Amino acid sequence: MMTVRRAVALVVVAASTALRLAAPPPKAATRREALARVLVATTLSTATPALAVSGGGKDFAGATIKGEDFSKGSYNAKDFSGVDAVGAKFEAASLRGARFFKADLAGADFSTADLSAASFEGANLDGTKFTGAVAEGTAFSQTLENVGDIEGADFTDAIMRSDVQKRLCDRADAKGTNPKTGVDTRESLFCDL
C-alpha cells in the first residue's frame, strides 16, 4: 500500500518534470506558483480524515442546556465546559470524570449523581444541589461553598481549598450519610478532626 508521503513525492516529481518539459519555458515565479498549486491540490485530495474517539470531542462544551433533564443518563467523561446549564437536572446521572470547567450550573440538581473524578473548577454553583451525590476525587474551586444543598453527599478525596472545606463543615446541611457509599458527609469532609 502506498503511503501518503510517497504519493505526494511522486506527484511532485511528475509535476516538476512536466513543468520543465513545457515549451516555452515559464518564468521562475510562475513555475513555483504552479508547483505550489499542485502540492496544495495533492495534499487536500490525499488527506485522511480524523477518526472520532468514543467519549472525545467537545461533547456539550459551550452549549446552552438551561433547564434540560439529563437525569439517570450516562455522561461519563463528557465535556460540559462553559455550558449554560442553569436549572438543569442531572439527578442520579453517571458523570464520572465529566468536566464542568467554568460552566454556569446555578440552580442545577445533581442529587444522587455519581460525580467521581469530575471537575467543577471555576463553575458557578450558586444554589446547585449535591444532595446524596458521590463526589469522590472530584475537583472543586471556591464556588463549592455557594451550593444549595450537600446533605448526604460523599466528598471522599475531593480536591478543594482547605478554607472552603472548613466553611462547608460549618453549614447546617453538612450532615447525613450517602445512600450509595454509606459514607457520612461530615466524615468525607474531615469536619470532626
Side-chain angles (χ1 to χ4, degrees), residues 65-71 83-91 104-110 128-129:
I65 55 174
K66 280 183 179 180
E68 291 195 33
D69 194 351
F70 293 87
S71 297
V83 297
D84 181 357
V86 173
K89 293 184 185 337
F90 294 93
E91 294 176 70
D104 189 354
L105 302 168
D109 190 350
F110 289 94
T128 303
K129 288 180 66 176

Side-chain angles (χ1 to χ4, degrees), residues 30-53:
T30 308
R31 184 178 287 164
R32 279 189 215 115
E33 289 172 5
L35 186 57
R37 284 190 202 110
V38 169
L39 284 172
V40 168
T42 304
T43 303
L44 293 175
S45 65
T46 60
T48 55
L51 300 175
V53 177

Side-chain angles (χ1 to χ4, degrees), residues 135-148:
E136 295 176 339
T138 301
F140 293 101
S141 60
Q142 70 279 2
T143 60
L144 179 61
E145 62 189 288
N146 301 329
V147 298

Side-chain angles (χ1 to χ4, degrees), residues 146-168:
N146 301 329
V147 298
D149 189 13
I150 61 169
E151 185 171 345
D154 181 354
F155 292 102
T156 301
D157 297 326
I159 302 163
M160 66 184 80
R161 292 184 354 198
S162 60
D163 60 318
V164 172
Q165 176 261 331
K166 288 175 184 168
R167 283 194 286 280
L168 288 176

Side-chain angles (χ1 to χ4, degrees), residues 130-134 149-154 173-179 183 185:
F130 284 102
T131 311
V134 177
D149 189 13
I150 61 169
E151 185 171 345
D154 181 354
D173 60 343
K175 62 182 180 182
T177 302
N178 187 275
V183 175
T185 299

